Amino acid sequence: MPDPTKYPRILYTDAEASLPKSAATGDLAKPSLLEKRGVLVVLDDDPTGTQTVHDVTVLTTFEKEVLVEQFETKEAGFFILTNTRAYHYNEAKQLLATLLENLRSAATETNTKIEIVLRSDSTLRGHFPLENEITSDVFGPFDAWVLAPSFFEGGRVSMNDVHYALDAHDGVTLVPVGDTPSAADKGFGFNSSNLKEWIAEKYGWKDVPEVISISVEELCERGAAEKIAARLKAISRTEGRKAPIVVPNTFASVDMEVFVAAIGLAPEVRLLYRTGASFVSTRLGIAKVPPVSPEQLFGIPKQDSNCVTGGLTVIGSYIPRTTAQREYLLEHCNSHIVHLELDVAQLLGQNDSNQDHWDLINWTAKTIDQVLEKGMDAVVSTSRKLITNDDGKESLLLGSIVTSVLVNIVKAISVRPRYIIAKGGITSSDIATEGLRMKKARVVGQAATGVPLWRSEPTGGPKWPDVPYIVFPGNVGSTQTLGDLVALYRTR
């Protein structure tokens, strides 16, 4: 197995200065051309993929009847939460196969043309190429796959075929993604920062598809959309040959806009996308808007606020950025929060039938009820020592045990909180679907940059349909973002 190429860190400003200025002007992607490609169905492997959109529907179920109902709304695009990143290979394969069959049946019944995006982690974790292959089996053949992991709001960008993530600590340095904590993930770890090499690594360095790279320089040229569309049209589908993978290097939002314009000019080319969040909002033509203000969310504060319950924050993510955010929250909001920490080592030593296990869940929920009734904010988090296993499947299992405890705590809470913040992708997914019984939600907007804000719709009888639900990705935001958000909601 070849050693992956190593790349140095680089200042964001230096990287930006090394690239040409885009020649693109005006409205790049014509909606009428993109409409020809069909309704955009985004299969999201955790709920953080909604971090660049607003006024969009999210389904947390893939029952055929719900899909038919959604297609009948004629919405230009919507999300289906698959949460496959929480499952090992065989479970993810089975789940996705069932979902895709339901999706195909619902689309056929409603005579709806669709285009599929596999929205995944902008730091390259997830089931690849598995998800692409299963989707191709059901909806293929495709002329090409597209790999576009950029998430500009989170500092995830690509140039020279290398994918970078902005350093969480200094906020100014681009780190090759193979050198980030995400690359050491026990379930989906990797070594390569170069996207061509990452693809080869995921294929075990054998029988690797052709990779068609589109450089930032090409995207910045005058007439770039037309030239790239011509390249896409020139791709020839060959029986028995793997679909080539198109990699657009996108460093800024205008680069993605040019690429989306190009696919709009090539509607006859069948593409399957695996992308970060920025592609989705660009493809749907969703403009950036400021984060939702507390006044928009809660209304104008009343003089007598003694009857207002507190908010609930649940922290499951273990990554260093989340830990730093938790510590800042606990230090700077200590006058109005009560923190309950769950000992993960103790939890993993118990099982679901253990009375101590359920006593802890019920005691924690009761304590949170008391905190919320007093108008204080409750924070429940897992202990910070990461307990994993060298076996990826076993690590996912350990994580699911801890997440199930958090979910059961939310289930047992009886006092309606003013808002709920769920920190971490898998945590926020399971709390939404199991703890709060959401089947359908609306993305109101962003609570902070890259932090989606949902409101559950009444479909399926959710626990608290009107409570704002903040899906806070583990690897998004500065050290201060979580604490600042809790403090901001406190003053309104």
Side-chain angles (χ1 to χ4, degrees):
M1 183 176 66
D3 291 328
T5 306
K6 287 296 183 181
Y7 297 89
R9 298 181 175 214
I10 181 172
L11 288 174
Y12 182 96
T13 51
D14 288 349
E16 187 177 39
S18 73
L19 298 171
K21 183 177 175 61
S22 177
T25 57
D27 185 13
L28 295 173
K30 301 294 189 291
S32 58
L33 293 176
L34 290 168
E35 286 172 4
K36 294 179 181 179
R37 301 196 68 90
V39 173
L40 196 71
V41 181
V42 184
L43 307 185
D44 200 351
D45 71 359
D46 83 1
T48 63
T50 56
Q51 59 201 156
T52 60
V53 301
H54 54 86
D55 299 316
V56 174
T57 294
V58 180
L59 303 180
T60 67
T61 179
F62 45 85
E63 297 166 2
K64 181 187 171 183
E65 295 76 13
V66 176
L67 294 173
V68 167
E69 180 183 293
Q70 177 59 35
F71 282 132
E72 289 174 344
T73 68
K74 305 299 182 185
E75 193 173 354
F78 62 93
F79 286 75
I80 302 174
L81 177 58
T82 69
N83 202 33
T84 51
R85 216 185 304 165
Y87 302 121
H88 63 75
Y89 182 96
N90 289 332
E91 288 178 324
K93 182 177 180 179
Q94 183 176 358
L95 181 150
L96 197 59
T98 303
L99 184 158
L100 290 167
E101 287 297 341
N102 288 353
L103 185 62
R104 180 169 64 176
S105 179
T108 301
E109 183 173 317
T110 56
N111 194 29
T112 304
K113 181 179 180 181
I114 68 173
E115 188 165 51
I116 296 175
V117 174
L118 301 167
R119 202 298 307 182
S120 192
D121 183 32
S122 58
T123 52
L124 304 180
R125 294 168 298 173
H127 289 287
F128 178 86
L130 171 67
E131 294 183 332
N132 288 62
E133 291 172 343
I134 296 173
T135 306
S136 296
D137 289 343
V138 178
F139 284 93
F142 293 97
D143 295 307
W145 297 351
V146 173
L147 176 65
S150 291
F151 167 42
F152 307 117
E153 292 81 354
R156 322 288 160 68
V157 298
S158 302
M159 58 181 289
N160 301 323
D161 293 328
V162 180
H163 194 54
Y164 294 91
L166 198 64
D167 187 279
H169 301 292
D170 67 22
V172 297
T173 306
L174 290 174
V175 181
V177 70
D179 296 330
T180 64
S182 295
D185 187 280
K186 291 296 184 182
F188 302 104
F190 57 92
N191 296 302
S192 304
S193 299
N194 183 296
L195 291 170
K196 290 182 177 179
E197 293 181 358
W198 179 83
I199 292 168
E201 182 180 347
K202 288 298 177 179
Y203 273 92
W205 305 95
K206 297 181 294 185
D207 197 19
V208 181
E210 175 192 2
V211 178
I212 301 172
S213 175
I214 300 172
S215 68
V216 176
E217 289 77 8
E218 290 174 282
L219 289 163
C220 289
E221 291 177 1
R222 189 172 300 279
E226 291 78 10
K227 295 175 183 176
I228 293 167
R231 288 184 65 184
L232 295 175
K233 293 176 183 178
I235 296 173
S236 58
R237 187 188 304 165
T238 305
E239 188 71 29
R241 169 178 166 267
K242 283 189 171 75
I245 300 176
V246 177
V247 177
N249 284 263
T250 53
F251 191 88
S253 58
V254 67
D255 304 329
M256 190 69 81
E257 290 169 16
V258 170
F259 180 71
V260 168
I263 65 175
L265 294 171
E268 68 273 31
V269 181
R270 299 199 72 232
L271 299 171
L272 174 62
Y273 309 90
R274 186 172 189 87
T275 78
S278 293
F279 173 84
V280 177
S281 53
T282 307
R283 167 64 176 76
L284 289 174
I286 296 175
K288 293 181 181 179
V289 296
V292 178
S293 70
E295 289 78 13
Q296 291 172 299
L297 193 58
F298 303 114
I300 304 300
K302 298 177 182 179
Q303 289 186 346
D304 181 13
S305 59
N306 292 332
C307 61
V308 176
T309 58
L312 172 64
T313 299
V314 182
I315 302 174
S317 170
Y318 285 92
I319 67 171
R321 187 178 307 202
T322 292
T323 298
Q325 290 171 339
R326 187 192 81 151
E327 298 314 306
Y328 179 89
L329 166 67
L330 298 181
E331 180 180 352
H332 289 80
C333 298
N334 58 10
S335 65
H336 57 83
I337 64 172
V338 173
H339 177 221
L340 304 169
E341 182 177 273
L342 305 179
D343 187 324
V344 172
Q346 180 183 350
L347 290 176
L348 294 177
Q350 301 170 353
N351 58 59
D352 287 352
S353 62
N354 189 300
Q355 188 59 47
D356 290 339
H357 178 103
W358 286 99
D359 286 347
L360 175 63
I361 289 171
N362 292 325
W363 178 87
T364 304
K366 184 177 180 180
T367 304
I368 291 172
D369 281 339
Q370 294 169 348
V371 171
L372 297 177
E373 282 183 328
K374 292 177 182 177
M376 298 283 282
D377 298 323
V379 177
V380 57
S381 73
T382 52
S383 55
R384 294 292 89 190
K385 183 179 179 181
L386 178 59
I387 299 175
T388 62
N389 189 288
D390 289 337
D391 179 79
K393 179 179 176 181
E394 186 65 24
S395 284
L396 288 173
L397 177 60
L398 295 177
S400 70
I401 293 172
V402 176
T403 302
S404 71
V405 172
L406 296 175
V407 167
N408 281 313
I409 288 170
V410 173
K411 281 183 178 180
I413 294 171
S414 58
V415 175
R416 174 196 180 279
R418 192 168 185 233
Y419 63 82
I420 299 172
I421 298 174
K423 189 80 169 89
I426 294 172
T427 302
S428 56
S429 174
D430 286 354
I431 287 178
T433 57
E434 299 176 39
L436 300 175
R437 302 192 303 272
M438 289 188 193
K439 283 196 171 184
K440 186 175 184 178
R442 193 75 175 169
V443 183
V444 178
Q446 308 300 306
T449 301
V451 181
L453 170 61
W454 296 6
R455 277 196 191 275
S456 179
E457 296 193 0
T459 302
K463 182 171 184 174
W464 293 308
D466 56 340
V467 172
Y469 186 63
I470 294 93
V471 178
F472 205 129
N475 58 5
V476 166
S478 69
T479 299
Q480 297 81 18
T481 305
L482 176 60
D484 288 351
L485 190 61
V486 170
L488 184 66
Y489 288 171
R490 183 69 186 176
T491 60
R492 297 299 188 276

Short mmCIF file of all heavy atoms in Angstrom, two decimals, residues 230-267:
data_model
loop_
_atom_site.label_atom_id
_atom_site.label_comp_id
_atom_site.label_asym_id
_atom_site.label_seq_id
_atom_site.Cartn_x
_atom_site.Cartn_y
_atom_site.Cartn_z
N ALA A 230 -18.75 21.22 -21.38
CA ALA A 230 -18.28 20.46 -22.54
C ALA A 230 -17.48 19.24 -22.11
O ALA A 230 -17.59 18.15 -22.71
CB ALA A 230 -17.45 21.36 -23.45
N ARG A 231 -16.67 19.39 -21.06
CA ARG A 231 -15.90 18.25 -20.55
C ARG A 231 -16.83 17.18 -19.98
O ARG A 231 -16.60 15.98 -20.18
CB ARG A 231 -14.92 18.71 -19.46
CG ARG A 231 -13.74 19.50 -19.97
CD ARG A 231 -12.77 19.83 -18.84
NE ARG A 231 -12.14 18.63 -18.28
CZ ARG A 231 -11.32 18.65 -17.24
NH1 ARG A 231 -11.04 19.81 -16.64
NH2 ARG A 231 -10.79 17.53 -16.79
N LEU A 232 -17.87 17.60 -19.30
CA LEU A 232 -18.83 16.63 -18.75
C LEU A 232 -19.55 15.89 -19.87
O LEU A 232 -19.75 14.67 -19.80
CB LEU A 232 -19.84 17.35 -17.85
CG LEU A 232 -19.30 17.99 -16.57
CD1 LEU A 232 -20.40 18.75 -15.85
CD2 LEU A 232 -18.70 16.93 -15.64
N LYS A 233 -19.94 16.62 -20.92
CA LYS A 233 -20.64 16.00 -22.04
C LYS A 233 -19.74 15.02 -22.79
O LYS A 233 -20.23 14.08 -23.44
CB LYS A 233 -21.14 17.07 -23.00
CG LYS A 233 -22.24 17.95 -22.43
CD LYS A 233 -22.64 19.05 -23.42
CE LYS A 233 -23.68 19.99 -22.84
NZ LYS A 233 -24.03 21.08 -23.78
N ALA A 234 -18.43 15.23 -22.69
CA ALA A 234 -17.49 14.36 -23.42
C ALA A 234 -17.24 13.03 -22.70
O ALA A 234 -16.62 12.12 -23.27
CB ALA A 234 -16.16 15.10 -23.62
N ILE A 235 -17.72 12.91 -21.47
CA ILE A 235 -17.54 11.65 -20.74
C ILE A 235 -18.39 10.58 -21.41
O ILE A 235 -19.58 10.76 -21.63
CB ILE A 235 -17.98 11.81 -19.26
CG1 ILE A 235 -17.07 12.81 -18.55
CG2 ILE A 235 -17.93 10.46 -18.55
CD1 ILE A 235 -17.54 13.16 -17.14
N SER A 236 -17.77 9.47 -21.73
CA SER A 236 -18.50 8.39 -22.41
C SER A 236 -18.72 7.23 -21.45
O SER A 236 -17.79 6.77 -20.79
CB SER A 236 -17.73 7.91 -23.64
OG SER A 236 -16.45 7.46 -23.28
N ARG A 237 -19.97 6.81 -21.36
CA ARG A 237 -20.31 5.70 -20.50
C ARG A 237 -19.95 4.39 -21.21
O ARG A 237 -20.35 4.16 -22.35
CB ARG A 237 -21.81 5.73 -20.19
CG ARG A 237 -22.24 4.70 -19.17
CD ARG A 237 -23.76 4.66 -19.07
NE ARG A 237 -24.33 5.97 -18.75
CZ ARG A 237 -25.61 6.26 -18.89
NH1 ARG A 237 -26.45 5.35 -19.37
NH2 ARG A 237 -26.07 7.45 -18.58
N THR A 238 -19.20 3.54 -20.53
CA THR A 238 -18.76 2.28 -21.11
C THR A 238 -19.30 1.12 -20.28
O THR A 238 -19.16 1.11 -19.05
CB THR A 238 -17.22 2.20 -21.17
OG1 THR A 238 -16.73 3.34 -21.89
CG2 THR A 238 -16.77 0.93 -21.86
N GLU A 239 -19.92 0.16 -20.93
CA GLU A 239 -20.49 -0.99 -20.24
C GLU A 239 -19.40 -1.75 -19.48
O GLU A 239 -18.32 -2.04 -20.01
CB GLU A 239 -21.14 -1.92 -21.26
CG GLU A 239 -21.93 -3.06 -20.64
CD GLU A 239 -23.22 -2.58 -19.99
OE1 GLU A 239 -23.77 -1.56 -20.43
OE2 GLU A 239 -23.64 -3.25 -19.03
N GLY A 240 -19.67 -2.05 -18.21
CA GLY A 240 -18.73 -2.81 -17.40
C GLY A 240 -17.59 -1.99 -16.84
O GLY A 240 -16.71 -2.53 -16.16
N ARG A 241 -17.59 -0.70 -17.08
CA ARG A 241 -16.51 0.17 -16.59
C ARG A 241 -17.04 1.05 -15.47
O ARG A 241 -18.15 1.55 -15.53
CB ARG A 241 -16.01 1.04 -17.74
CG ARG A 241 -15.08 2.18 -17.37
CD ARG A 241 -14.65 2.90 -18.64
NE ARG A 241 -14.02 4.20 -18.38
CZ ARG A 241 -14.68 5.34 -18.37
NH1 ARG A 241 -15.99 5.36 -18.59
NH2 ARG A 241 -14.05 6.47 -18.15
N LYS A 242 -16.25 1.20 -14.41
CA LYS A 242 -16.65 2.06 -13.31
C LYS A 242 -16.85 3.49 -13.82
O LYS A 242 -16.10 3.98 -14.66
CB LYS A 242 -15.59 2.06 -12.21
CG LYS A 242 -15.59 0.82 -11.33
CD LYS A 242 -14.64 1.04 -10.16
CE LYS A 242 -14.75 -0.08 -9.12
NZ LYS A 242 -14.13 -1.31 -9.56
N ALA A 243 -17.85 4.15 -13.26
CA ALA A 243 -18.06 5.55 -13.60
C ALA A 243 -16.87 6.37 -13.13
O ALA A 243 -16.38 6.18 -12.00
CB ALA A 243 -19.35 6.06 -12.95
N PRO A 244 -16.36 7.28 -13.95
CA PRO A 244 -15.28 8.15 -13.50
C PRO A 244 -15.77 9.08 -12.39
O PRO A 244 -16.97 9.32 -12.25
CB PRO A 244 -14.90 8.94 -14.75
CG PRO A 244 -16.13 8.93 -15.59
CD PRO A 244 -16.81 7.61 -15.32
N ILE A 245 -14.83 9.58 -11.61
CA ILE A 245 -15.18 10.48 -10.50
C ILE A 245 -14.65 11.87 -10.82
O ILE A 245 -13.45 12.06 -11.00
CB ILE A 245 -14.60 9.96 -9.17
CG1 ILE A 245 -15.16 8.56 -8.87
CG2 ILE A 245 -14.94 10.91 -8.03
CD1 ILE A 245 -14.58 7.92 -7.62
N VAL A 246 -15.56 12.83 -10.88
CA VAL A 246 -15.20 14.22 -11.16
C VAL A 246 -14.94 14.94 -9.84
O VAL A 246 -15.78 14.90 -8.93
CB VAL A 246 -16.33 14.93 -11.93
CG1 VAL A 246 -15.99 16.40 -12.16
CG2 VAL A 246 -16.61 14.22 -13.25
N VAL A 247 -13.77 15.57 -9.72
CA VAL A 247 -13.39 16.27 -8.51
C VAL A 247 -13.21 17.75 -8.82
O VAL A 247 -12.17 18.16 -9.35
CB VAL A 247 -12.09 15.70 -7.91
CG1 VAL A 247 -11.67 16.50 -6.67
CG2 VAL A 247 -12.26 14.23 -7.55
N PRO A 248 -14.22 18.59 -8.53
CA PRO A 248 -14.03 20.03 -8.70
C PRO A 248 -13.31 20.62 -7.49
O PRO A 248 -13.76 20.45 -6.35
CB PRO A 248 -15.46 20.56 -8.79
CG PRO A 248 -16.28 19.58 -8.02
CD PRO A 248 -15.59 18.25 -8.12
N ASN A 249 -12.18 21.26 -7.72
CA ASN A 249 -11.45 21.92 -6.63
C ASN A 249 -12.12 23.27 -6.38
O ASN A 249 -12.04 24.18 -7.21
CB ASN A 249 -9.99 22.12 -7.02
CG ASN A 249 -9.18 20.85 -6.93
OD1 ASN A 249 -8.50 20.60 -5.94
ND2 ASN A 249 -9.24 20.03 -7.97
N THR A 250 -12.78 23.39 -5.24
CA THR A 250 -13.51 24.62 -4.95
C THR A 250 -12.98 25.24 -3.66
O THR A 250 -13.03 24.63 -2.60
CB THR A 250 -15.02 24.35 -4.81
OG1 THR A 250 -15.23 23.29 -3.88
CG2 THR A 250 -15.61 23.95 -6.16
N PHE A 251 -12.46 26.45 -3.79
CA PHE A 251 -11.86 27.15 -2.65
C PHE A 251 -12.80 28.22 -2.10
O PHE A 251 -12.75 28.57 -0.93
CB PHE A 251 -10.54 27.79 -3.07
CG PHE A 251 -9.72 28.32 -1.92
CD1 PHE A 251 -8.82 27.50 -1.25
CD2 PHE A 251 -9.85 29.65 -1.50
CE1 PHE A 251 -8.08 27.99 -0.18
CE2 PHE A 251 -9.11 30.14 -0.44
CZ PHE A 251 -8.22 29.31 0.23
N ALA A 252 -13.66 28.75 -2.97
CA ALA A 252 -14.59 29.82 -2.59
C ALA A 252 -15.96 29.51 -3.18
O ALA A 252 -16.08 28.71 -4.11
CB ALA A 252 -14.08 31.18 -3.07
N SER A 253 -16.97 30.15 -2.64
CA SER A 253 -18.34 29.87 -3.08
C SER A 253 -18.54 30.12 -4.56
O SER A 253 -19.31 29.41 -5.21
CB SER A 253 -19.34 30.68 -2.26
OG SER A 253 -19.07 32.07 -2.36
N VAL A 254 -17.83 31.09 -5.13
CA VAL A 254 -17.98 31.36 -6.56
C VAL A 254 -17.48 30.19 -7.39
O VAL A 254 -18.01 29.92 -8.48
CB VAL A 254 -17.26 32.68 -6.95
CG1 VAL A 254 -15.74 32.54 -6.80
CG2 VAL A 254 -17.63 33.11 -8.36
N ASP A 255 -16.49 29.46 -6.91
CA ASP A 255 -16.01 28.27 -7.62
C ASP A 255 -17.12 27.22 -7.71
O ASP A 255 -17.33 26.60 -8.75
CB ASP A 255 -14.79 27.67 -6.92
CG ASP A 255 -13.66 28.65 -6.75
OD1 ASP A 255 -13.52 29.55 -7.61
OD2 ASP A 255 -12.91 28.53 -5.76
N MET A 256 -17.83 27.01 -6.60
CA MET A 256 -18.93 26.06 -6.60
C MET A 256 -20.07 26.53 -7.50
O MET A 256 -20.71 25.73 -8.19
CB MET A 256 -19.44 25.85 -5.17
CG MET A 256 -20.41 24.68 -5.03
SD MET A 256 -19.61 23.06 -5.26
CE MET A 256 -18.88 22.83 -3.63
N GLU A 257 -20.31 27.83 -7.51
CA GLU A 257 -21.36 28.39 -8.37
C GLU A 257 -21.06 28.13 -9.84
O GLU A 257 -21.95 27.79 -10.62
CB GLU A 257 -21.52 29.88 -8.10
CG GLU A 257 -22.12 30.21 -6.74
CD GLU A 257 -22.02 31.68 -6.40
OE1 GLU A 257 -21.77 32.49 -7.32
OE2 GLU A 257 -22.17 32.02 -5.21
N VAL A 258 -19.80 28.26 -10.21
CA VAL A 258 -19.41 27.99 -11.60
C VAL A 258 -19.62 26.51 -11.92
O VAL A 258 -20.14 26.17 -13.00
CB VAL A 258 -17.94 28.40 -11.84
CG1 VAL A 258 -17.45 27.90 -13.20
CG2 VAL A 258 -17.79 29.91 -11.75
N PHE A 259 -19.22 25.64 -11.02
CA PHE A 259 -19.39 24.21 -11.27
C PHE A 259 -20.86 23.85 -11.40
O PHE A 259 -21.27 23.09 -12.29
CB PHE A 259 -18.73 23.38 -10.18
CG PHE A 259 -18.87 21.90 -10.40
CD1 PHE A 259 -18.18 21.27 -11.41
CD2 PHE A 259 -19.73 21.15 -9.60
CE1 PHE A 259 -18.32 19.91 -11.65
CE2 PHE A 259 -19.88 19.80 -9.82
CZ PHE A 259 -19.18 19.17 -10.85
N VAL A 260 -21.70 24.38 -10.53
CA VAL A 260 -23.14 24.10 -10.59
C VAL A 260 -23.72 24.66 -11.89
O VAL A 260 -24.60 24.03 -12.51
CB VAL A 260 -23.86 24.68 -9.36
CG1 VAL A 260 -25.37 24.66 -9.55
CG2 VAL A 260 -23.47 23.89 -8.11
N ALA A 261 -23.24 25.82 -12.31
CA ALA A 261 -23.69 26.36 -13.60
C ALA A 261 -23.34 25.40 -14.73
O ALA A 261 -24.12 25.22 -15.68
CB ALA A 261 -23.06 27.72 -13.84
N ALA A 262 -22.17 24.78 -14.64
CA ALA A 262 -21.73 23.84 -15.68
C ALA A 262 -22.64 22.63 -15.75
O ALA A 262 -23.01 22.18 -16.84
CB ALA A 262 -20.28 23.41 -15.41
N ILE A 263 -23.04 22.09 -14.59
CA ILE A 263 -23.92 20.92 -14.65
C ILE A 263 -25.31 21.32 -15.16
O ILE A 263 -26.01 20.51 -15.76
CB ILE A 263 -24.00 20.18 -13.29
CG1 ILE A 263 -24.66 21.04 -12.23
CG2 ILE A 263 -22.63 19.72 -12.84
CD1 ILE A 263 -24.87 20.31 -10.92
N GLY A 264 -25.68 22.58 -14.92
CA GLY A 264 -26.94 23.06 -15.47
C GLY A 264 -26.92 23.14 -16.98
O GLY A 264 -27.96 23.00 -17.64
N LEU A 265 -25.74 23.34 -17.55
CA LEU A 265 -25.57 23.41 -19.00
C LEU A 265 -25.41 22.02 -19.62
O LEU A 265 -25.32 21.91 -20.85
CB LEU A 265 -24.36 24.28 -19.35
CG LEU A 265 -24.48 25.77 -18.99
CD1 LEU A 265 -23.13 26.47 -19.17
CD2 LEU A 265 -25.54 26.44 -19.85
N ALA A 266 -25.36 21.00 -18.80
CA ALA A 266 -25.20 19.63 -19.30
C ALA A 266 -26.27 18.73 -18.70
O ALA A 266 -25.97 17.73 -18.03
CB ALA A 266 -23.80 19.11 -18.97
N PRO A 267 -27.56 19.04 -18.92
CA PRO A 267 -28.63 18.29 -18.26
C PRO A 267 -28.72 16.84 -18.69
O PRO A 267 -29.30 16.02 -17.98
CB PRO A 267 -29.89 19.07 -18.65
CG PRO A 267 -29.53 19.75 -19.93
CD PRO A 267 -28.08 20.09 -19.81
#
